[in-house]
Amino acid sequence: MKKIVYLFLIVILSSCNQEPKSTKISGPVFGTAYNIQYYTTDNSNYKTQFDSLFAVINESMSTYIPDSKISRINKGEIIEVDEHFTRVFNNAKKIYRATEGAFDPTIGAVVNAWDFGPEGKIINIDSTTIDSLMKSVGYNRVGLKNNKLIKNSNSFIDFNAIAKGYGVDVIGEFLESKNVTDYLVEIGGEIRVRGLNLDKKSPWRVGVDDPNFNEEQTYSKIIALEEEAMATSGTYRKFKIDENGNRYAHIIDTKTGYPSKTNILSVSVLAEDCMTADAYATAFQAMGIDKVKAFTERHPELKVFIIFENEAKEFETLSLNDFPQ
């Protein structure tokens, strides 16, 4: 009997002394790719669970899937939404109000109307068309009641500017439910980290893209992240050029319905969770530098890094609220 007890104790002690090992998993999702790294003592592989969670999120909020919940709602069906939809809807409403409408998921139909033409040229859209579509824009006009979305019949809901960040959070929360304390989750450049990179025994280090007008990826800076999330919105690969050579962001001004003319090339936001960072990065692109400065003074919980083009067509940077150097 004593031998059995001793053996049992040895097994427990040896398992407690095991060094956490790194697991890296990657794959396609949301029209881009994901990369996940985490540490466990038992080499747990959660790829099946990750892919299942991604599928559920897609079925809830992907406008590219014809029979997803959001697609059915946009077609006019009245259906019960799930927990994922509800969480994103409510957080989007919070950010819509905080930004006074600069972030507005009901701008989707207008965004679709401004579809890029060949070589990024602006498509000539009749102002009457834009005026008509803008009548259905306004996130204050939609709401949830008994888990069902109440909206104008012509309103088009699009969570693409927040759902990718939410997907990052869902994976992070899943890992935490499995008692994983050290991880990095990245989907298409949106990132959430907790704990440390145990391989290097240091905080997780991530890059902020340089705004190159080509496909080459370089970094303007490398920063350390701790217990936070980062999202970046850039206009340097998706933009339009009018007949006068003016460059317009792919982000639509929610007040006018027209592409935002901006000198901002990239906005990176640090926040506690990734869907919040994701949504604010989009909103800040549309708001412009002066409004972002004023906004971040009232919201010290958001750290912001802006890369913009000055009047001499030179790149400049601006760090707000102690964004890591």
Side-chain angles (χ1 to χ4, degrees), residues 58-167:
N58 264 329
E59 289 167 7
S60 177
M61 289 174 285
S62 174
T63 55
Y64 296 96
I65 298 176
D67 59 350
S68 69
K69 285 185 170 61
I70 200 166
S71 292
R72 293 170 62 190
I73 288 169
N74 284 333
K75 293 173 185 175
E77 293 186 43
I78 300 176
I79 61 173
E80 190 167 317
V81 299
D82 57 23
E83 178 187 357
H84 297 293
F85 190 105
T86 300
R87 286 182 64 188
V88 170
F89 178 91
N90 289 334
N91 201 55
K93 181 78 79 170
K94 176 182 175 182
I95 295 169
Y96 165 82
R97 289 169 175 160
T99 61
E100 298 180 347
F103 178 78
D104 190 337
T106 62
I107 197 69
V110 184
V111 172
N112 291 340
W114 281 106
D115 192 19
F116 293 158
E119 300 179 356
K121 298 295 184 181
I122 287 182
I123 298 171
N124 293 321
I125 298 178
D126 191 288
S127 60
T128 303
T129 301
I130 297 300
D131 291 342
S132 176
L133 290 171
M134 286 297 291
K135 291 178 181 178
S136 62
V137 173
Y139 202 49
N140 57 314
R141 301 173 184 172
V142 300
L144 282 176
K145 185 176 181 180
N146 298 325
N147 294 323
K148 295 178 181 178
L149 192 71
I150 309 301
K151 72 176 186 68
N152 181 297
S153 60
N154 295 322
S155 293
F156 185 94
I157 311 295
D158 187 341
F159 287 141
N160 287 335
I162 189 173
K164 187 167 62 172
Y166 176 71

Side-chain angles (χ1 to χ4, degrees), residues 226-285:
E226 298 184 50
E227 309 298 317
E228 56 196 338
M230 181 177 82
T232 299
S233 177
T235 61
Y236 47 92
R237 291 197 182 122
K238 291 182 69 177
F239 58 90
K240 300 176 183 295
I241 301 173
D242 67 13
E243 64 276 8
N244 298 316
N246 295 314
R247 189 173 64 248
Y248 289 80
H250 68 282
I251 295 171
I252 303 302
D253 187 322
T254 58
K255 307 297 183 186
T256 67
Y258 287 81
S260 300
K261 184 180 180 182
T262 179
N263 64 336
I264 294 177
L265 301 174
S266 171
V267 179
S268 296
V269 177
L270 300 186
E272 184 177 353
D273 60 80
C274 200
M275 69 168 159
T276 297
D278 197 6
Y280 275 119
T282 299
F284 291 164
Q285 281 278 3

Side-chain angles (χ1 to χ4, degrees), residues 275-317:
M275 69 168 159
T276 297
D278 197 6
Y280 275 119
T282 299
F284 291 164
Q285 281 278 3
M287 288 168 64
I289 291 176
D290 290 340
K291 288 184 178 180
V292 174
K293 284 181 180 178
F295 187 90
T296 53
E297 286 178 1
R298 302 190 303 271
H299 292 271
E301 74 278 9
L302 301 174
K303 301 175 184 178
V304 180
F305 180 69
I306 301 174
I307 303 174
F308 64 97
E309 197 173 57
N310 63 23
E311 293 181 357
K313 302 297 182 181
E314 299 169 334
F315 287 1
E316 288 190 29
T317 63

